[in-house]
Amino acid sequence: NTHALNIEALEQSDADAFGQATTPAANRPITNQPRFGTDSLRCIQNWNIYRDHFTHRNFELAIEPWRWMFLNCPLATENIYIHGVRIVRFMIERETDPTKREALIDTLMMVYQQRIRYFGHEGVNLGRQALEKKVMRPNATRDHFELSERSIELQGVETDPEVLRVNFFAAKTLVESGLLEPGKLVDKYDRASSIIAHNLQKNQGDSAAFAMTKEQIQSMFDPFASCENLIRIYTPRVEANPQDSELLRRVTTMLDRAGCTDSQLYRDWE
């Protein structure tokens, strides 16, 4: 089967060149569509053309065959999205018209969403999208927060440290703008601290990145962590959950770090 031989060669070449194997069909979130769309021959032809240009960094010539695959056979290979991010970034970088540039940024966001739709890994890819949007639209704070928030919810202790930083910065900005309740910032700090502590202990390969993120988040949180704010936020929580030993540990640690050891809250629960 000529198609099968071409596909196998394409997939192996992609894996060799970019360290990214394609996702098996059984693991895809959407499996009720033909992998190569309604025109499999044209799909494979465009795959050959686009990946050859991409391999040689001829991004200009890769655009049209890549776009055809993105629109017409989105399940063919996950590299449509891995490579697509780089191709659309190239298009954004050379675009001088502000309106067209914004449309291309929308396309870049669509690449991340379509990758999730067809290949899953929502938590990881939402985190990547949050980081991308932070670069492309630095003032879209609500979007940064919501994308990174969902990513952290899904990834838990496997969250990328940069996603934690972007999330906390966005939360802090929203609190300062009156768009997020101040107690939420404490929640984000507690959560980030827990994830970072886990990775500093268990994930030696990324310990330097997590250590840096810990310092960055602490620096952002310190101006907010006045005794007045901490006592106001934590007092009702402790009163509502006096038997929660983990909460009490976090509260006393936080108060001690902020120099609030003479407060009634600290003395009651130390």
Side-chain angles (χ1 to χ4, degrees):
N1 186 309
T2 303
H3 283 192
L5 290 174
N6 286 343
I7 293 163
E8 182 179 356
L10 283 165
E11 289 183 338
Q12 186 58 52
S13 183
D14 276 351
D16 290 345
F18 305 105
Q20 177 67 46
T22 55
T23 302
N27 295 332
R28 293 177 186 144
I30 292 181
T31 58
N32 61 347
Q33 298 180 16
R35 178 180 176 186
F36 301 105
T38 57
D39 189 340
S40 61
L41 179 58
R42 193 172 176 191
C43 179
I44 293 167
Q45 288 172 338
N46 277 284
W47 190 354
N48 271 302
I49 296 167
Y50 117 70
R51 78 155 298 285
D52 183 60
H53 289 311
F54 186 90
T55 301
H56 293 94
R57 305 300 188 261
N58 295 323
F59 297 142
E60 174 74 31
L61 296 177
I63 292 171
E64 286 308 317
W66 168 81
R67 181 185 282 123
W68 194 95
M69 289 190 71
F70 182 83
L71 296 173
N72 294 283
C73 50
L75 274 167
T77 168
E78 193 168 2
N79 285 315
I80 292 171
Y81 311 101
I82 297 167
H83 302 165
V85 165
R86 296 178 64 182
I87 290 171
V88 180
R89 281 181 191 154
F90 166 80
M91 297 167 70
I92 292 169
E93 288 168 3
R94 67 178 192 151
E95 182 56 67
T96 57
D97 182 284
T99 301
K100 291 179 180 178
R101 187 176 187 277
E102 286 302 306
L104 285 170
I105 294 173
D106 287 339
T107 299
L108 182 59
M109 297 302 110
M110 192 188 307
V111 171
Y112 285 101
Q113 288 299 313
Q114 189 157 301
R115 183 177 181 182
I116 291 169
R117 181 185 180 198
Y118 289 109
F119 290 90
H121 306 294
E122 182 180 6
V124 172
N125 287 309
L126 285 176
R128 290 169 176 158
Q129 186 178 357
L131 300 182
E132 194 80 70
K133 183 161 274 194
K134 180 78 168 89
V135 172
M136 294 294 175
R137 289 179 176 152
N139 296 322
T141 306
R142 174 65 72 176
D143 288 347
H144 308 158
F145 177 74
E146 291 177 354
L147 288 167
S148 59
E149 188 70 10
R150 180 58 177 158
S151 175
I152 295 168
E153 289 172 359
L154 292 169
Q155 291 298 104
V157 296
E158 296 182 358
T159 299
D160 185 282
E162 187 65 8
V163 174
L164 290 175
R165 189 192 66 78
V166 166
N167 177 262
F168 193 82
F169 181 81
K172 177 176 178 288
T173 302
L174 292 173
V175 168
E176 292 171 341
S177 303
L179 299 174
L180 193 67
E181 194 274 313
K184 296 293 185 183
L185 191 63
V186 174
D187 292 339
K188 305 313 171 194
Y189 177 85
D190 284 345
R191 180 182 63 184
S193 297
S194 177
I195 292 171
I196 290 169
H198 171 88
N199 281 277
L200 288 175
Q201 182 178 8
K202 304 286 189 180
N203 183 4
Q204 294 301 310
D206 293 324
S207 60
F210 278 100
M212 181 178 294
T213 297
K214 179 180 179 179
E215 292 181 6
Q216 292 169 333
I217 289 177
Q218 188 64 54
S219 177
M220 286 188 278
F221 185 65
D222 281 344
F224 176 85
S226 66
C227 293
E228 179 183 358
N229 280 340
L230 294 177
I231 292 167
R232 175 172 53 83
I233 291 167
Y234 275 126
T235 296
R237 298 186 185 189
V238 170
E239 290 177 348
N241 301 279
Q243 305 304 317
D244 187 336
S245 59
E246 177 58 25
L247 172 63
L248 297 178
R249 184 195 64 77
R250 291 203 312 271
V251 171
T252 54
T253 298
M254 188 88 70
L255 293 173
D256 184 48
R257 180 186 295 122
C260 310
T261 54
D262 60 346
S263 67
Q264 189 63 46
L265 180 61
Y266 184 87
R267 291 197 301 268
D268 286 346
W269 300 104
E270 67 173 322

